């Protein structure tokens, strides 16, 4: 006889397991179906391992410049095997933590691939789940509610075959036993720039080839320009407005070549590895959705503001619905979806209040509209900007590149967007996120006393600068 649950979650990634915990808190009987490991892409192939690499690279880069702090470290190097060991240790610790949370919440874990069934003898409505296990066994479970949280995988370009050795995605790169001498990164978005920064800090020769007219194309234009300037200063080659000719890949003598159409004609790029970083693709295939009324458009599951699909008892969250493919977004969507199932009537998610981060060196973070987007929305805007070069703590830290920029509505004085590039801004952006949630004005931020010396003073100064009142500008 099939087991019954109040909620079954397909996918034990960040969005899925957080939703399961919230459902357990609300008294639901919950199960998760996961074909790999709890924690999903974020824990095992994305956020956590890549940031572990970035931290090691940052420490190495700091040691190479330690003499400017008066610290004589002598000749420094790195052991990439130990970098990998540290990454794996962090992942293992966090994985055990997630497993503990599942036991704490009495959440049942099924290992295998979950497939959604249409109406059948098991259930009069679509949504029963058939679990297909590695050994060939199958099991059926029946939920009252079903949550699709199947995540995404690296996207590739047509004709650009990932061989896992010379042409790779971030999945394969995270398992490198040693770093190559040179890498061409196809794609200058968030993931591409994080890898460019990290590899450059480790001494790898890096070229970034981006289709758009600038790297980090979704960031405020001034932030993109500053990042490009700083990476070029570090000898990272950046080529924008470049359309990669996927069929042009040539391999030989331990090198791989690729061509791209640019403003200067067709250019050839050569390196030991090509890292393809052109976004992520939702995992919607083979889930059995064709047996339901669920709609898939542009490769993503269609949901309403409460994350319900066309089958009202089946919800979907995270990367599988497209939109902002971020771990913290998936987690929040999962909580809201479960609370809606429980009849709590949560407020719909305002995606303009979601902080977005790039963990490169320097870091980048934003929340809300860019200056250009705000103007396109019809706002008359004013801007406040403050450079880290004028900040005592940034000079103390030895990282004074970058700035904080506020975009404000002239008529209402409402905060429309905050954009940062500089040291530790991925931590600082939370203050700006709170300001957006509370609909704060620059005056209110400026009246908030920020301790001295801290990096957060840049937010206060940028807020004061909106009306020409910055003290240290």
């Amino acid at each position: 006889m099939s087991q019954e649950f109040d909620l079954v979650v397909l996918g034990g990634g960040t969005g899925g397991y957080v939703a399961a915990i919230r459902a357990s808190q609300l008294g639901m009987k919950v199960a998760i179906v996961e074909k790999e490991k709890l924690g999903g892409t974020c824990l095992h192939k994305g956020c956590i391992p890549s940031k572990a690499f970035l931290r090691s690279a940052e420490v190495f880069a700091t040691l190479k410049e330690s003499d400017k702090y008066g610290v004589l470290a002598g000749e420094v190097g790195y052991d990439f095997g130990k970098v990998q060991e540290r990454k794996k240790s962090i992942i293992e610790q966090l994985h055990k933590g997630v497993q503990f949370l599942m036991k704490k919440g009495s959440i049942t874990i099924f290992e295998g691939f979950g497939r959604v069934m249409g109406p059948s003898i098991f259930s009069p409505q679509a949504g029963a789940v058939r679990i297909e296990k590695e050994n060939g066994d199958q099991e059926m479970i029946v939920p009252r509610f079903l949550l699709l949280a199947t995540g995404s995988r690296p996207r590739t370009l047509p004709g650009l075959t990932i061989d896992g050795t010379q042409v790779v995605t971030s999945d394969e790169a995270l398992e490198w036993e040693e770093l190559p001498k040179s890498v061409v990164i196809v794609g200058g978005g968030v993931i591409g720039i994080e890898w460019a920064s990290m590899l450059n800090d480790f001494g790898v020769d890096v070229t970034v080839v981006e289709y758009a007219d600038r790297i980090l194309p979704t960031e405020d234009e001034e932030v993109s320009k500053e990042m490009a300037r700083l990476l070029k200063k570090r000898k990272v080659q950046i080529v924008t407005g470049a359309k990669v000719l996927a069929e042009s890949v040539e391999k030989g003598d331990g090198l791989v070549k690729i061509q791209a159409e640019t403003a200067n004609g067709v250019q050839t790029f050569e390196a030991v590895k090509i890292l393809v970083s052109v976004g992520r693709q939702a995992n919607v295939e083979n889930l059995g959705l064709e047996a339901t009324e669920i709609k898939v458009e542009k490769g993503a599951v269609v949901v309403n503001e409460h994350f319900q699909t066309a089958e009202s008892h089946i919800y979907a969250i995270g990367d599988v619905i497209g939109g902002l493919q971020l771990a913290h977004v998936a987690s929040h969507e999962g909580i809201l979806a479960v609370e809606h199932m429980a009849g709590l009537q949560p407020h719909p998610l305002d995606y303009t209040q979601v902080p977005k981060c790039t963990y490169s060196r320097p870091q980048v973070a934003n929340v809300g509209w860019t200056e250009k987007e705000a103007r396109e929305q019809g706002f008359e805007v004013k801007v406040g900007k403050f450079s880290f070069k004028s900040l005592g703590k940034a000079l103390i830290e030895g990282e004074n590149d970058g700035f904080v920029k506020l975009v404000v509505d002239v008529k209402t004085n409402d905060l429309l967007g905050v954009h940062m590039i500089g040291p530790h801004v991925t931590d600082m952006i939370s203050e700006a996120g709170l300001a957006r949630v509370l609909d704060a004005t620059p005056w209110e931020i400026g009246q908030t006393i920020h301790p001295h010396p801290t990096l957060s003073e840049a937010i206060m100064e940028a807020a004061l600068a909106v009306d020409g009142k910055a003290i240290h500008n």
Side-chain angles (χ1 to χ4, degrees), residues 170-190:
S170 58
D171 282 2
E172 294 81 25
L174 284 168
E175 301 304 319
W176 281 339
E177 294 181 359
E178 61 181 25
L179 292 178
K181 291 184 178 179
S182 57
V183 174
V184 170
I185 299 175
V186 178
V190 172

Side-chain angles (χ1 to χ4, degrees), residues 205-247:
D205 182 11
V206 179
T207 299
V208 177
V209 180
E210 166 58 41
Y211 178 77
D213 61 358
R214 57 190 174 98
I215 60 171
L216 298 179
T218 61
E219 294 289 338
D220 188 89
E221 290 184 18
E222 289 188 88
V223 170
S224 295
K225 184 178 179 181
E226 177 74 350
M227 178 58 81
R229 182 185 73 82
L230 294 171
L231 287 178
K232 288 176 181 177
K233 186 178 178 181
R234 289 163 54 185
K235 309 302 182 186
V236 174
Q237 183 182 359
I238 296 175
V239 182
T240 56
K243 180 182 179 180
V244 169
L245 303 175
E247 302 292 348

Side-chain angles (χ1 to χ4, degrees), residues 24-237:
S24 175
Q25 291 173 345
L26 292 170
M28 295 185 186
K29 181 183 178 184
V30 186
I32 291 177
V33 182
E34 172 55 54
K35 65 184 178 69
E36 295 183 5
K37 292 183 178 180
L38 290 172
T41 293
C42 176
L43 178 53
H44 300 282
K45 297 180 181 179
C47 312
I48 300 302
S50 64
K51 276 53 177 182
F53 277 5
L54 281 157
R55 176 56 179 158
S56 292
E58 180 185 37
V59 170
F60 181 55
T62 301
L63 281 172
K64 287 190 292 184
E65 299 179 344
S66 65
D67 60 324
K68 78 178 185 181
Y69 298 91
V71 178
L72 305 180
E75 186 175 350
V76 297
Y78 64 86
D79 181 336
F80 198 69
K82 289 186 176 179
V83 172
Q84 281 282 17
E85 287 175 13
R86 180 175 183 271
K87 177 205 79 174
K88 292 174 183 177
S89 175
I90 292 168
I91 292 172
E92 183 180 354
Q93 182 176 340
L94 292 172
H95 185 223
K96 287 180 179 177
V98 175
Q99 291 174 313
F100 168 77
L101 292 172
M102 298 299 98
K103 291 179 181 178
K104 180 183 176 182
S106 299
I107 297 164
T108 304
I109 307 299
F110 291 94
E111 295 181 1
F113 185 86
R115 196 180 304 276
V116 183
M117 307 300 291
S120 65
I121 59 172
F122 298 99
S123 175
Q125 60 184 2
V129 175
R130 186 175 71 209
I131 303 167
E132 301 169 357
K133 303 182 180 181
E134 280 192 10
N135 63 5
D137 290 346
Q138 295 186 2
E139 186 173 0
M140 190 73 70
I141 56 177
V142 180
R144 187 160 61 95
F145 292 104
L146 177 64
L147 179 63
L148 305 178
T150 52
S152 65
R153 62 189 183 277
R155 187 184 299 277
T156 60
L157 294 175
L160 185 55
T161 302
I162 305 299
D163 62 20
T165 304
Q166 288 183 285
V167 183
V168 303
T169 69
S170 58
D171 282 2
E172 294 81 25
L174 284 168
E175 301 304 319
W176 281 339
E177 294 181 359
E178 61 181 25
L179 292 178
K181 291 184 178 179
S182 57
V183 174
V184 170
I185 299 175
V186 178
V190 172
I191 297 173
I193 294 306
E194 287 184 351
W195 277 92
S197 177
M198 181 266 286
L199 292 171
N200 172 264
D201 274 343
F202 275 132
V204 177
D205 182 11
V206 179
T207 299
V208 177
V209 180
E210 166 58 41
Y211 178 77
D213 61 358
R214 57 190 174 98
I215 60 171
L216 298 179
T218 61
E219 294 289 338
D220 188 89
E221 290 184 18
E222 289 188 88
V223 170
S224 295
K225 184 178 179 181
E226 177 74 350
M227 178 58 81
R229 182 185 73 82
L230 294 171
L231 287 178
K232 288 176 181 177
K233 186 178 178 181
R234 289 163 54 185
K235 309 302 182 186
V236 174
Q237 183 182 359

Side-chain angles (χ1 to χ4, degrees), residues 7 10 34 52 111 139 143-144 174 191 204 225 247 250 264 271 280 294 304 308 323-324 341 356 458:
L7 172 64
L10 283 194
E34 172 55 54
E111 295 181 1
E139 186 173 0
R144 187 160 61 95
L174 284 168
I191 297 173
V204 177
K225 184 178 179 181
E247 302 292 348
E250 294 181 19
N264 298 320
R280 298 188 64 84
I294 296 172
N304 64 17
Q308 287 173 297
L324 293 178
M341 295 173 196
K356 300 177 285 294

Side-chain angles (χ1 to χ4, degrees), residues 353-369:
Q353 294 179 350
V354 173
K356 300 177 285 294
C357 301
T358 304
Y359 296 83
S360 48
R361 188 172 65 89
Q363 296 178 358
V364 174
N366 77 74
V367 63
W369 285 304

Side-chain angles (χ1 to χ4, degrees), residues 173-389:
L174 284 168
E175 301 304 319
W176 281 339
E177 294 181 359
E178 61 181 25
L179 292 178
K181 291 184 178 179
S182 57
V183 174
V184 170
I185 299 175
V186 178
V190 172
I191 297 173
I193 294 306
E194 287 184 351
W195 277 92
S197 177
M198 181 266 286
L199 292 171
N200 172 264
D201 274 343
F202 275 132
V204 177
D205 182 11
V206 179
T207 299
V208 177
V209 180
E210 166 58 41
Y211 178 77
D213 61 358
R214 57 190 174 98
I215 60 171
L216 298 179
T218 61
E219 294 289 338
D220 188 89
E221 290 184 18
E222 289 188 88
V223 170
S224 295
K225 184 178 179 181
E226 177 74 350
M227 178 58 81
R229 182 185 73 82
L230 294 171
L231 287 178
K232 288 176 181 177
K233 186 178 178 181
R234 289 163 54 185
K235 309 302 182 186
V236 174
Q237 183 182 359
I238 296 175
V239 182
T240 56
K243 180 182 179 180
V244 169
L245 303 175
E247 302 292 348
S248 68
V249 176
E250 294 181 19
K251 303 173 186 177
D253 298 324
L255 296 174
V256 58
K257 298 179 182 179
I258 196 166
Q259 293 183 324
E261 292 180 352
T262 72
N264 298 320
V266 175
Q267 290 184 245
T268 299
F269 303 93
E270 180 181 81
V272 176
K273 307 273 189 184
I274 290 178
L275 172 57
V276 181
S277 177
V278 291
R280 298 188 64 84
Q281 181 175 341
N283 292 325
V284 297
E285 300 86 359
N286 302 317
L287 295 180
L289 302 185
E290 63 277 1
T292 73
E293 298 297 321
I294 296 172
K295 295 179 175 60
V296 175
E297 295 180 0
K298 297 181 180 179
V301 174
V302 177
V303 295
N304 64 17
E305 63 178 4
H306 301 299
F307 308 105
Q308 287 173 297
T309 67
E311 300 272 7
S312 61
H313 60 291
I314 302 179
Y315 292 64
I317 60 161
D319 289 8
V320 77
I321 67 172
L324 293 178
Q325 295 179 316
L326 302 168
H328 49 287
V329 171
S331 296
H332 199 76
E333 290 173 343
I335 290 171
L336 294 181
V338 167
E339 290 181 348
H340 188 262
M341 295 173 196
L344 298 184
Q345 298 182 332
H347 291 291
L349 177 56
D350 179 354
Y351 288 93
T352 69
Q353 294 179 350
V354 173
K356 300 177 285 294
C357 301
T358 304
Y359 296 83
S360 48
R361 188 172 65 89
Q363 296 178 358
V364 174
N366 77 74
V367 63
W369 285 304
T370 66
E371 181 178 352
K372 181 180 179 181
E373 288 170 342
R375 294 185 189 281
E376 289 174 346
Q377 290 288 327
F379 292 103
E380 181 183 358
V381 305
K382 53 184 177 179
V383 170
K385 190 174 171 183
F386 189 80
S387 171
F388 281 108
K389 292 188 184 301

